Amino acid sequence: MFLFKRKPVTITKLNDEEAIKVRIFGKEKELVVFSTGDNRVDENGEPKDSNFALSKKEIECLNWLINNVNLNDYKKEIAKYCNIEYEMWSDKRIKPKDVEKEISITAIAINVSEIWESNDGSLIYPEISFYGDCKCDEEHGICIGFRDKKYLGIASQDWTL
């Protein structure tokens, strides 16, 4: 059997809240891409209307994610996160093979920002993350985050906002 590496994808332009096709667990899926970082506000500090152009840094970060991250590599970590969440309210437990049924990735959040750490230094925000729904926490969803081209961890969607 031959395994072929996917041809790299290069996005050159994209607007906030536009969708792109990405491989999620080996299947092509359309995900919305949105900015939560400094590019989200104008020079006066006012929020921009949606559909503004993503910055060059945001595009570079997005290209890295879609060409280098395979969520299959994180199934154990996702299952562990889900099981910790389930422990708070249920007896249910999942295995890595159940992850595809457990979570639904719907977006990519990009937070290229000068502020990347909480004021007390206890929390580092993801620079880019897969963002979606999770049965273990239907209210807060799931965020699989990366910073500086490295896996950062898994938390609720609140982590990106």
Side-chain angles (χ1 to χ4, degrees):
M1 178 187 320
F2 295 99
L3 295 175
F4 296 96
K5 185 164 171 70
R6 259 180 9 131
K7 183 180 174 186
V9 176
T10 303
I11 295 173
T12 56
K13 277 176 47 175
L14 192 71
N15 289 340
D16 179 63
E17 296 186 17
E18 276 192 276
I20 61 170
K21 291 186 179 183
V22 179
R23 290 190 82 70
I24 302 293
F25 301 123
K27 299 175 187 107
E28 196 168 86
K29 186 169 181 179
E30 196 166 274
L31 304 181
V32 172
V33 178
F34 65 96
S35 172
T36 64
D38 292 344
N39 190 30
R40 182 131 211 106
V41 294
D42 65 20
E43 59 279 350
N44 299 319
E46 296 295 321
K48 293 179 182 175
D49 292 332
S50 45
N51 295 323
F52 56 86
L54 294 180
S55 71
K56 183 179 177 184
K57 274 182 107 171
E58 288 171 322
I59 296 285
E60 287 171 4
C61 194
L62 177 62
N63 280 321
W64 170 80
L65 182 81
I66 62 178
N67 286 304
N68 294 286
V69 175
N70 180 345
L71 282 182
N72 284 322
D73 296 340
Y74 299 93
K75 282 185 173 182
K76 285 182 184 175
E77 289 89 347
I78 296 167
K80 181 179 176 183
Y81 171 82
C82 292
N83 288 331
I84 289 169
E85 292 298 309
Y86 275 127
E87 282 178 10
M88 291 187 239
W89 63 275
S90 170
D91 291 336
K92 182 176 177 176
R93 297 294 171 267
I94 67 165
K95 295 180 180 175
K97 67 181 176 89
D98 304 320
V99 165
E100 291 178 55
K101 294 176 194 149
E102 179 71 21
I103 69 171
S104 173
I105 301 300
T106 56
I108 295 173
I110 306 174
N111 182 10
V112 174
S113 178
E114 286 189 34
I115 299 172
W116 54 273
E117 188 174 16
S118 60
N119 288 338
D120 65 2
S122 64
L123 185 64
I124 295 175
Y125 301 110
E127 187 173 45
I128 191 161
S129 57
F130 287 107
Y131 184 97
D133 298 320
C134 185
K135 292 179 184 175
C136 69
D137 189 347
E138 291 179 356
E139 185 176 338
H140 297 105
I142 192 166
C143 169
I144 304 159
F146 301 84
R147 175 160 286 286
D148 299 325
K149 298 181 179 179
K150 293 182 183 115
Y151 171 70
L152 191 56
I154 301 172
S156 73
Q157 291 175 354
D158 304 342
W159 195 22
T160 64
L161 303 174

